[in-house]
Amino acid sequence: MDHMGKYKDWLKRMPAGDPLRQELYDIKDDEGQIRERFYKDLSFGTAGLRGIVSAGSNRMNRYTVGRATQGIADYINECGPQEAGKGVVIAHDPRHFSKEFCRIAAAIFAANGIKAYVFPELRPTPELAFMVRRLGAVSGVNITASHNPKEYNGYKVYWSDGCQVGSQIADKMTEKIEAVDYFDGIRWGNYQEAFASGMISVLGADADGEYLDLIEGLAIHGGDELDLDIPIVYTPLNGAGSVPFSRMMKDRGFTNWHMVPEQKDPDPDFATVGYPNPEDPGAFALARELGARLGARLLMATDPDADRFAIEIADDSQPGHFIHLNGNQTGYLLVNYILEGKKSAGTLPAKGAMVKSIVTSTMSADIAASYGVKMFESLTGFKNICGRIPDVVGQGYDYMFGYEESVGYAACPYIRDKDGISAGMLIAEAAAYYAKQGKTLLQVLDGLYEKYGWYCEDEPNLVLKGIEGSRRIGRMMAYIRENPPGQAGGLPVIKTVDYKDGYEDIAPSNVLRFWLEDGSWFAVRPSGTEPKIKFYFYTRGESAQKARQSGQAVREDFMNLVNAVK
């Protein structure tokens, strides 16, 4: 059935009085809108479903959420009564319809004989990941669009290991989902009745306490080793981080930290920030204003579901100004702080391991190697990064840390997703530890560059929305495969890896990676959750200036090649 046929079928079958039906009726003369909403069904990407909230099969709404939940329930029940009896944990973020979608999912699971555990209010994604393992649940769902603009919502799915579902399980779930009719195939259930019968259970405060106790147990230094009066500003960007971050900072004894008041409370419109992604320096605007007034040394931010985390550091050369660190640079600081701290405490494992994504800087691997720790690689996404933990442990290693360049960090093996709360605790602790020694985080970072080599990290992307955008991204990837660059920035390409069929122990993925003769490298891949094609440039030089100059030349050559594809 083509997009117009699906549109007419939805109009015909939707109940009278349903607001979504009226929304579809209002676009009856807009063929472009109809095509965008119905040219495909919303499908699993890097992190489950994600899309604009509105009517249509390619949108987030009660029907797409209901269909996905029914399909997952069918898959769980097919796994047998023992698995189904373990139940499902469900959380949500502050976005429009997140709580409603959470209750819809809980009621559908309950109607399919699967108990649902829900939180009383919004909670961070990493707490959901933790509770799946803590409760021994078969699966977990978080209703969240993470850092996307306000128009979006999403549906992250986890399995019993506490990781986002890998491709093997996701493919089986997709088969079940695609077999569900949007209107006749869903057992909707009733939330209140299921709650009264015990098929839906609301988690208590002890769940929050266990999650935070686990995070606070990651502390490396404490007490007199830390300057706990260091001025710090934090913003949850109107998301789920406010309450747990506050408690964590209080528990750790920080006495001079402040939260951006305009961004303290949940806001589904993100009116104070627009694009609530801490990876974007623009998200720090209000934090910078407050930090300048208070003389803050460190600014920290988490995204709406508190799994992403980013920082800015006071620029002593310009009072009141702050330097935004990219995800790689924050990763360097965390990798070094963890290893340095454990070595000084005599707790560095004899066989330690860390994990990074294939598009994350290799400088962190050099830092790890200097401490005798092996850096494993994985595909992007924490279902892959944390999904390597069992393999790493099975090889006799102690997992210590995992991260990727898109400001995601996983410091605890029992929380198998990126966690902005634990990353924030460790960075705040590191800032306080180095402050006690008279050093800033920026000085520490510069020291790492001086020791391991000056890197320039550059991660541009092209946003190409809609059907035509998706097709152009496909043409770009095809062209690069057929016409791989032989040089970039005046340096020959000495190695090319195409991950489409897998590479070594890395599963297949739509990624291309190129190495230059001086150790620099670059990569390209389409995003799995956003209408983007992403680029990654990591160039090395004898100084910061030379690394930047090399990076600009490499980027210019490769982007000219890509942009020529229309």
Side-chain angles (χ1 to χ4, degrees), residues 350-388:
K351 198 174 179 182
M354 295 183 168
V355 184
K356 73 173 189 68
S357 77
I358 58 174
V359 294
T360 296
S361 171
T362 48
M363 178 173 160
S364 60
D366 294 339
I367 298 172
S370 72
Y371 287 91
V373 170
K374 181 176 176 62
M375 182 68 76
F376 289 82
E377 286 196 328
S378 79
L379 294 177
T380 56
F382 276 77
K383 68 180 180 183
N384 298 306
I385 293 171
C386 291
R388 292 221 63 170

Short mmCIF file of all heavy atoms in Angstrom, two decimals, residues 350-388:
data_model
loop_
_atom_site.label_atom_id
_atom_site.label_comp_id
_atom_site.label_asym_id
_atom_site.label_seq_id
_atom_site.Cartn_x
_atom_site.Cartn_y
_atom_site.Cartn_z
N ALA A 350 44.81 -5.68 37.25
CA ALA A 350 45.93 -6.26 36.52
C ALA A 350 45.60 -6.41 35.05
O ALA A 350 46.49 -6.38 34.19
CB ALA A 350 46.29 -7.62 37.13
N LYS A 351 44.31 -6.58 34.77
CA LYS A 351 43.87 -6.74 33.38
C LYS A 351 42.64 -5.87 33.18
O LYS A 351 41.51 -6.35 33.15
CB LYS A 351 43.57 -8.22 33.10
CG LYS A 351 43.52 -8.58 31.63
CD LYS A 351 43.35 -10.08 31.44
CE LYS A 351 43.28 -10.42 29.95
NZ LYS A 351 43.06 -11.88 29.72
N GLY A 352 42.86 -4.57 33.04
CA GLY A 352 41.76 -3.63 32.90
C GLY A 352 41.39 -3.41 31.45
O GLY A 352 42.20 -3.57 30.54
N ALA A 353 40.12 -3.01 31.24
CA ALA A 353 39.64 -2.77 29.88
C ALA A 353 38.68 -1.60 29.85
O ALA A 353 37.93 -1.37 30.80
CB ALA A 353 38.96 -4.02 29.32
N MET A 354 38.72 -0.87 28.75
CA MET A 354 37.76 0.18 28.45
C MET A 354 37.22 -0.06 27.04
O MET A 354 37.80 -0.84 26.28
CB MET A 354 38.42 1.56 28.57
CG MET A 354 38.86 1.91 29.99
SD MET A 354 39.56 3.58 30.08
CE MET A 354 39.61 3.82 31.86
N VAL A 355 36.12 0.62 26.72
CA VAL A 355 35.50 0.46 25.40
C VAL A 355 35.16 1.83 24.84
O VAL A 355 34.64 2.69 25.55
CB VAL A 355 34.21 -0.39 25.48
CG1 VAL A 355 33.64 -0.62 24.08
CG2 VAL A 355 34.46 -1.73 26.17
N LYS A 356 35.47 2.03 23.57
CA LYS A 356 35.08 3.26 22.88
C LYS A 356 34.48 2.88 21.53
O LYS A 356 34.71 1.78 21.01
CB LYS A 356 36.26 4.20 22.68
CG LYS A 356 37.25 3.74 21.64
CD LYS A 356 38.31 4.80 21.36
CE LYS A 356 39.16 4.43 20.15
NZ LYS A 356 38.37 4.48 18.89
N SER A 357 33.73 3.80 20.93
CA SER A 357 33.17 3.53 19.62
C SER A 357 34.23 3.72 18.54
O SER A 357 35.25 4.37 18.75
CB SER A 357 31.97 4.45 19.35
OG SER A 357 32.42 5.75 19.02
N ILE A 358 33.96 3.18 17.35
CA ILE A 358 34.93 3.25 16.25
C ILE A 358 35.09 4.67 15.71
O ILE A 358 36.06 4.94 15.00
CB ILE A 358 34.54 2.30 15.10
CG1 ILE A 358 33.14 2.63 14.57
CG2 ILE A 358 34.65 0.85 15.53
CD1 ILE A 358 32.75 1.83 13.34
N VAL A 359 34.16 5.58 16.03
CA VAL A 359 34.29 6.96 15.56
C VAL A 359 34.72 7.90 16.68
O VAL A 359 34.60 9.12 16.57
CB VAL A 359 32.98 7.46 14.91
CG1 VAL A 359 32.69 6.69 13.64
CG2 VAL A 359 31.80 7.38 15.87
N THR A 360 35.27 7.33 17.74
CA THR A 360 35.79 8.11 18.87
C THR A 360 37.31 8.15 18.78
O THR A 360 37.94 7.18 18.37
CB THR A 360 35.32 7.49 20.20
OG1 THR A 360 33.90 7.57 20.27
CG2 THR A 360 35.92 8.20 21.39
N SER A 361 37.90 9.25 19.20
CA SER A 361 39.34 9.47 19.06
C SER A 361 40.18 8.33 19.64
O SER A 361 39.89 7.78 20.70
CB SER A 361 39.71 10.78 19.76
OG SER A 361 41.11 10.93 19.82
N THR A 362 41.25 8.02 18.94
CA THR A 362 42.18 6.98 19.39
C THR A 362 43.16 7.50 20.44
O THR A 362 43.94 6.72 20.99
CB THR A 362 42.96 6.42 18.19
OG1 THR A 362 43.46 7.50 17.40
CG2 THR A 362 42.06 5.55 17.33
N MET A 363 43.14 8.80 20.74
CA MET A 363 44.04 9.31 21.78
C MET A 363 43.74 8.64 23.12
O MET A 363 44.65 8.36 23.91
CB MET A 363 43.89 10.82 21.91
CG MET A 363 44.76 11.43 23.01
SD MET A 363 44.71 13.23 23.02
CE MET A 363 45.27 13.60 24.68
N SER A 364 42.46 8.35 23.38
CA SER A 364 42.12 7.71 24.65
C SER A 364 42.70 6.31 24.74
O SER A 364 43.02 5.83 25.84
CB SER A 364 40.60 7.66 24.83
OG SER A 364 39.99 6.94 23.78
N ALA A 365 42.86 5.65 23.59
CA ALA A 365 43.48 4.32 23.59
C ALA A 365 44.95 4.44 23.99
O ALA A 365 45.49 3.56 24.68
CB ALA A 365 43.35 3.67 22.22
N ASP A 366 45.60 5.53 23.56
CA ASP A 366 46.99 5.75 23.94
C ASP A 366 47.11 6.01 25.44
O ASP A 366 48.04 5.53 26.10
CB ASP A 366 47.57 6.94 23.17
CG ASP A 366 47.67 6.67 21.67
OD1 ASP A 366 47.69 5.50 21.27
OD2 ASP A 366 47.70 7.65 20.90
N ILE A 367 46.16 6.78 25.99
CA ILE A 367 46.17 7.03 27.44
C ILE A 367 46.00 5.72 28.19
O ILE A 367 46.75 5.42 29.13
CB ILE A 367 45.05 8.03 27.83
CG1 ILE A 367 45.27 9.38 27.15
CG2 ILE A 367 44.99 8.19 29.35
CD1 ILE A 367 44.10 10.36 27.33
N ALA A 368 45.02 4.93 27.76
CA ALA A 368 44.77 3.65 28.44
C ALA A 368 45.99 2.73 28.37
O ALA A 368 46.38 2.10 29.36
CB ALA A 368 43.54 2.97 27.81
N ALA A 369 46.60 2.68 27.19
CA ALA A 369 47.76 1.79 27.00
C ALA A 369 48.91 2.17 27.92
O ALA A 369 49.66 1.30 28.40
CB ALA A 369 48.22 1.83 25.54
N SER A 370 49.05 3.47 28.21
CA SER A 370 50.15 3.91 29.08
C SER A 370 49.97 3.41 30.51
O SER A 370 50.93 3.37 31.29
CB SER A 370 50.27 5.43 29.07
OG SER A 370 49.20 6.04 29.77
N TYR A 371 48.75 3.01 30.86
CA TYR A 371 48.47 2.43 32.18
C TYR A 371 48.32 0.91 32.10
O TYR A 371 47.90 0.27 33.07
CB TYR A 371 47.20 3.04 32.76
CG TYR A 371 47.34 4.46 33.24
CD1 TYR A 371 47.10 5.53 32.39
CD2 TYR A 371 47.75 4.73 34.55
CE1 TYR A 371 47.23 6.84 32.84
CE2 TYR A 371 47.89 6.03 35.00
CZ TYR A 371 47.63 7.09 34.13
OH TYR A 371 47.78 8.38 34.58
N GLY A 372 48.61 0.34 30.94
CA GLY A 372 48.48 -1.10 30.78
C GLY A 372 47.05 -1.57 30.63
O GLY A 372 46.75 -2.74 30.88
N VAL A 373 46.17 -0.69 30.20
CA VAL A 373 44.75 -1.01 30.05
C VAL A 373 44.41 -1.10 28.56
O VAL A 373 44.83 -0.25 27.77
CB VAL A 373 43.87 0.06 30.75
CG1 VAL A 373 42.40 -0.12 30.40
CG2 VAL A 373 44.08 -0.03 32.26
N LYS A 374 43.66 -2.12 28.18
CA LYS A 374 43.30 -2.33 26.78
C LYS A 374 42.03 -1.57 26.43
O LYS A 374 41.05 -1.60 27.18
CB LYS A 374 43.09 -3.83 26.51
CG LYS A 374 42.74 -4.15 25.05
CD LYS A 374 42.65 -5.64 24.82
CE LYS A 374 42.22 -5.97 23.39
NZ LYS A 374 43.18 -5.48 22.38
N MET A 375 42.05 -0.88 25.29
CA MET A 375 40.88 -0.17 24.79
C MET A 375 40.25 -0.99 23.67
O MET A 375 40.82 -1.15 22.60
CB MET A 375 41.26 1.22 24.28
CG MET A 375 40.08 2.05 23.79
SD MET A 375 38.93 2.56 25.10
CE MET A 375 39.89 3.90 25.87
N PHE A 376 39.07 -1.52 23.93
CA PHE A 376 38.31 -2.23 22.91
C PHE A 376 37.50 -1.23 22.09
O PHE A 376 37.21 -0.12 22.55
CB PHE A 376 37.36 -3.25 23.55
CG PHE A 376 38.04 -4.45 24.15
CD1 PHE A 376 38.60 -4.40 25.42
CD2 PHE A 376 38.11 -5.63 23.44
CE1 PHE A 376 39.23 -5.50 25.97
CE2 PHE A 376 38.74 -6.75 23.99
CZ PHE A 376 39.29 -6.69 25.25
N GLU A 377 37.09 -1.63 20.88
CA GLU A 377 36.24 -0.80 20.05
C GLU A 377 34.90 -1.48 19.81
O GLU A 377 34.79 -2.70 19.87
CB GLU A 377 36.91 -0.49 18.71
CG GLU A 377 38.04 0.52 18.80
CD GLU A 377 38.42 1.10 17.46
OE1 GLU A 377 38.30 0.39 16.44
OE2 GLU A 377 38.82 2.28 17.42
N SER A 378 33.89 -0.66 19.53
CA SER A 378 32.57 -1.18 19.20
C SER A 378 31.93 -0.23 18.19
O SER A 378 32.44 0.86 17.93
CB SER A 378 31.69 -1.27 20.45
OG SER A 378 31.17 0.01 20.79
N LEU A 379 30.79 -0.63 17.65
CA LEU A 379 30.00 0.28 16.85
C LEU A 379 29.45 1.39 17.74
O LEU A 379 29.48 1.28 18.98
CB LEU A 379 28.85 -0.47 16.17
CG LEU A 379 29.25 -1.49 15.11
CD1 LEU A 379 28.01 -2.20 14.57
CD2 LEU A 379 30.03 -0.84 13.97
N THR A 380 28.94 2.45 17.14
CA THR A 380 28.36 3.54 17.91
C THR A 380 27.12 3.08 18.65
O THR A 380 26.47 2.11 18.28
CB THR A 380 27.99 4.72 17.00
OG1 THR A 380 27.09 4.25 15.98
CG2 THR A 380 29.22 5.31 16.35
N GLY A 381 26.77 3.79 19.69
CA GLY A 381 25.58 3.47 20.48
C GLY A 381 25.95 2.60 21.67
O GLY A 381 26.80 1.71 21.58
N PHE A 382 25.27 2.86 22.78
CA PHE A 382 25.65 2.15 24.00
C PHE A 382 25.08 0.74 24.08
O PHE A 382 25.49 -0.03 24.93
CB PHE A 382 25.31 3.00 25.23
CG PHE A 382 26.40 3.98 25.51
CD1 PHE A 382 26.52 5.13 24.75
CD2 PHE A 382 27.36 3.74 26.48
CE1 PHE A 382 27.55 6.03 24.96
CE2 PHE A 382 28.40 4.62 26.70
CZ PHE A 382 28.50 5.77 25.94
N LYS A 383 24.18 0.39 23.18
CA LYS A 383 23.81 -1.02 23.09
C LYS A 383 25.02 -1.82 22.61
O LYS A 383 25.15 -3.01 22.93
CB LYS A 383 22.62 -1.22 22.16
CG LYS A 383 22.87 -0.96 20.69
CD LYS A 383 21.62 -1.20 19.87
CE LYS A 383 21.85 -0.94 18.38
NZ LYS A 383 20.61 -1.12 17.61
N ASN A 384 25.91 -1.16 21.86
CA ASN A 384 27.13 -1.81 21.39
C ASN A 384 28.28 -1.65 22.37
O ASN A 384 29.02 -2.60 22.63
CB ASN A 384 27.51 -1.23 20.03
CG ASN A 384 26.46 -1.49 18.98
OD1 ASN A 384 26.04 -2.62 18.75
ND2 ASN A 384 25.99 -0.43 18.33
N ILE A 385 28.44 -0.43 22.91
CA ILE A 385 29.54 -0.20 23.86
C ILE A 385 29.35 -1.04 25.12
O ILE A 385 30.21 -1.83 25.51
CB ILE A 385 29.64 1.30 24.20
CG1 ILE A 385 30.09 2.08 22.96
CG2 ILE A 385 30.60 1.54 25.37
CD1 ILE A 385 30.02 3.59 23.11
N CYS A 386 28.19 -0.90 25.78
CA CYS A 386 27.93 -1.70 26.97
C CYS A 386 27.65 -3.15 26.63
O CYS A 386 27.84 -4.04 27.47
CB CYS A 386 26.77 -1.10 27.76
SG CYS A 386 27.16 0.49 28.52
N GLY A 387 27.22 -3.38 25.38
CA GLY A 387 27.02 -4.75 24.95
C GLY A 387 28.30 -5.55 24.89
O GLY A 387 28.28 -6.79 24.85
N ARG A 388 29.45 -4.88 24.90
CA ARG A 388 30.74 -5.57 24.90
C ARG A 388 31.18 -5.98 26.29
O ARG A 388 32.15 -6.73 26.43
CB ARG A 388 31.82 -4.68 24.28
CG ARG A 388 31.65 -4.43 22.79
CD ARG A 388 32.97 -4.48 22.04
NE ARG A 388 33.61 -5.79 22.09
CZ ARG A 388 34.67 -6.12 21.35
NH1 ARG A 388 35.19 -5.24 20.51
NH2 ARG A 388 35.22 -7.31 21.44
#
